[in-house]
Amino acid sequence: MRVLVVEDERLLADSVAEGLRRFSMAVDVCYDGEQALERVGVHGYDVVVLDRDLPKVHGDEVCAAVVKAGGEARVLMLTAAADVTDRVAGLGLGADDYLTKPFAFAELVARVQALSRRARPALPPVLERDGVVLDLPRHQAARDGRFLLLSPKEFAVLEVLMRAEGAVVSAEDLLEKAWDEHADPFTNAVRVAVMTLRRKLGDPPVIETVPGAGYRFGTP
């Protein structure tokens, strides 16, 4: 999944982003509301983790812009205010969930994962096909009962392919969904990740290369 973290406390923003990346999420970071509006206008995010009290453009305005855009992005709003009226106001703006600072990182991850499942047609938190089991909450993968030691990017690529349910996924779509904005569009990172993922999944092959189109998960 692709996540945008918007938080003006840079240390907190970078810490949250790094933690989410360990769960195979592609994460972009910005530190004010103006940058956030630019990002959401360019990239398709699954979840926006949004601090409410932002400089330049208030978090309320950013939230309203995300909702107005009508895309799949879900908003998890962060606030230092614990008052229930403040939380109700944020939800009234269109935020999908609310988390009060300070928060437990494990709870943040669980909420982001839950919102991600709502950002697209409902799929179970555990994906299973052709003997491959992808447990998203536990961040575990297995094939035919054999646990797979996947890198965060390999896990992310496998998730995107399995979510496509047999449809072809282009290299461009994989780059958009599994890498952050700093990824070089001319890199061979996608090809390398697919190659190493295939090796770890073993035989028979379950990732097909469709010449000129991309990749498809599933046995013929």
Side-chain angles (χ1 to χ4, degrees):
M1 81 182 73
R2 189 158 189 176
V3 179
L4 175 64
V5 174
V6 190
E7 168 61 63
D8 64 322
E9 295 181 39
R10 289 177 176 253
L11 186 60
L12 175 60
D14 294 342
S15 176
V16 167
E18 187 59 34
L20 292 176
R21 290 182 184 119
R22 290 198 294 269
F23 284 83
S24 301
M25 303 180 197
V27 186
D28 297 336
V29 182
C30 51
Y31 308 109
D32 62 61
E34 188 174 82
Q35 291 179 344
L37 290 177
E38 293 175 358
R39 297 295 200 288
V40 298
V42 174
H43 300 293
Y45 293 102
D46 297 295
V47 179
V48 178
V49 179
L50 177 67
D51 182 35
R52 190 174 187 191
D53 189 17
L54 290 171
K56 296 188 178 180
V57 178
H58 196 273
D60 289 356
E61 294 183 49
V62 176
C63 181
V66 172
V67 173
K68 185 178 180 181
E72 295 183 339
R74 297 292 180 259
V75 177
L76 171 59
M77 192 167 275
L78 306 178
T79 181
D83 188 83
V84 66
T85 58
D86 192 68
R87 297 198 299 272
V88 169
L91 293 171
L93 291 166
D96 298 276
D97 200 358
Y98 223 88
L99 192 57
T100 303
K101 299 176 183 178
F103 49 81
F105 182 72
E107 182 179 6
L108 174 70
V109 171
R111 288 174 183 259
V112 169
Q113 289 176 329
L115 288 176
S116 168
R117 292 194 291 272
R118 291 163 53 185
R120 52 175 68 87
L123 285 173
V126 178
L127 308 178
E128 185 171 1
R129 185 173 181 182
D130 293 308
V132 177
V133 178
L134 198 65
D135 188 326
L136 302 177
R138 293 183 176 85
H139 201 252
Q140 294 177 346
R143 183 175 190 185
D144 298 328
R146 173 177 58 90
F147 281 99
L148 306 172
L149 186 60
L150 303 182
S151 72
K153 281 293 176 280
E154 291 163 357
F155 191 98
V157 167
L158 183 57
E159 179 185 353
V160 174
L161 292 174
M162 291 185 72
R163 283 190 181 279
E165 299 185 304
V168 175
V169 181
S170 69
E172 291 78 12
D173 281 344
L174 281 172
L175 196 65
E176 169 73 17
K177 294 177 183 297
W179 276 262
D180 61 29
E181 64 184 349
H182 300 295
D184 182 353
F186 301 104
T187 185
N188 64 351
V190 172
R191 182 179 63 82
V192 171
V194 171
M195 179 180 66
T196 58
L197 180 58
R198 278 182 173 139
R199 185 174 68 247
K200 291 180 180 181
L201 285 167
D203 293 322
V206 287
I207 298 178
E208 174 191 2
T209 298
V210 181
Y215 305 94
R216 176 167 45 213
F217 182 90
T219 55

